[in-house]
Amino acid sequence: MHQTMIENEKRSRALLILSDALQGNFISGFSVGDWWVLYLGGYYLVAQEVVSEDEIQLNQWYQANYPPFADCVDKEFISKTTVMTAHRQRLITEVALDDAYNLTLSFDNNSKLTLSTDADIVDWQWTLNTSGNDPYMDCLVGCFWKGEIVIHEADALPEHE
């Protein structure tokens, strides 16, 4: 019971930090390489995996209509960057964390992006920070492992009154 209370408090605190930083903000740009970096004002969301429901349909379209798709490296990045570009400059209206700490951003056009926590063979999943680096370099709040959230209180946003 005590552990559940601590986890609930941690989830609430993490959600407060994420909401303060992200709600009302927008993705002004992004980069992709070994991981994703989303630029949001003075903050960065750094993630191993970004997911959208639209990817399947886009991948099918690219397969049928864009010949270079057939032999490109990292095919999934093509649809993901299309989705990311479509969300650029869209206002973030809601931030949510599920039990596995998948971070879902809802936008003003009723669309969603999820920073998932199920990337394989990595030692962190996503982080909110002020540098754009991986969480070992800078982390306000982050998910290193599915179902585990980390908050660096010394670096986090001020408490609400």
Side-chain angles (χ1 to χ4, degrees):
M1 171 103 168
H2 181 68
Q3 184 64 26
T4 302
M5 287 176 50
I6 291 171
E7 278 304 309
N8 287 340
E9 288 173 18
K10 245 173 127 174
R11 178 179 286 117
S12 294
R13 178 73 178 130
L15 193 54
L16 177 65
I17 294 166
L18 291 162
S19 295
D20 280 352
L22 302 175
Q23 270 184 281
N25 209 335
F26 57 88
I27 299 167
S28 61
F30 65 91
S31 66
V32 64
D34 290 339
W35 56 71
W36 292 87
V37 180
L38 313 182
Y39 312 118
L40 301 117
Y43 298 100
Y44 298 87
L45 272 174
V46 184
Q48 295 289 342
E49 184 64 80
V50 179
V51 179
S52 167
E53 321 179 317
D54 301 329
E55 291 176 50
I56 294 169
Q57 181 180 354
L58 285 168
N59 283 332
Q60 291 169 346
W61 187 90
Y62 280 122
Q63 185 68 41
N65 297 289
Y66 186 62
F69 185 82
D71 64 352
C72 72
V73 177
D74 297 325
K75 285 182 174 80
E76 69 276 6
F77 284 5
I78 294 175
S79 61
K80 288 178 187 294
T81 56
T82 300
V83 169
M84 192 63 66
T85 301
H87 285 87
R88 206 175 138 288
Q89 303 292 336
R90 300 303 316 204
L91 199 63
I92 298 170
T93 58
E94 187 178 353
V95 177
L97 288 172
D98 65 16
D99 289 342
Y101 291 111
N102 292 297
L103 172 59
T104 300
L105 307 176
S106 298
F107 293 85
D108 61 356
N109 62 351
N110 296 316
S111 64
K112 296 179 185 213
L113 289 176
T114 299
L115 283 63
S116 69
T117 60
D118 59 2
D120 291 332
I121 316 171
V122 296
D123 60 348
W124 59 272
Q125 299 293 322
W126 60 262
T127 189
L128 173 72
N129 64 33
T130 57
S131 69
N133 291 321
D134 72 60
Y136 292 106
M137 304 294 290
D138 178 22
C139 175
L140 298 173
V141 60
C143 179
F144 287 73
W145 303 102
K146 184 176 189 171
E148 295 180 27
I149 198 83
V150 173
I151 302 169
H152 289 158
E153 288 294 337
D155 301 324
L157 303 172
E159 295 278 343
H160 274 299
E161 301 285 321

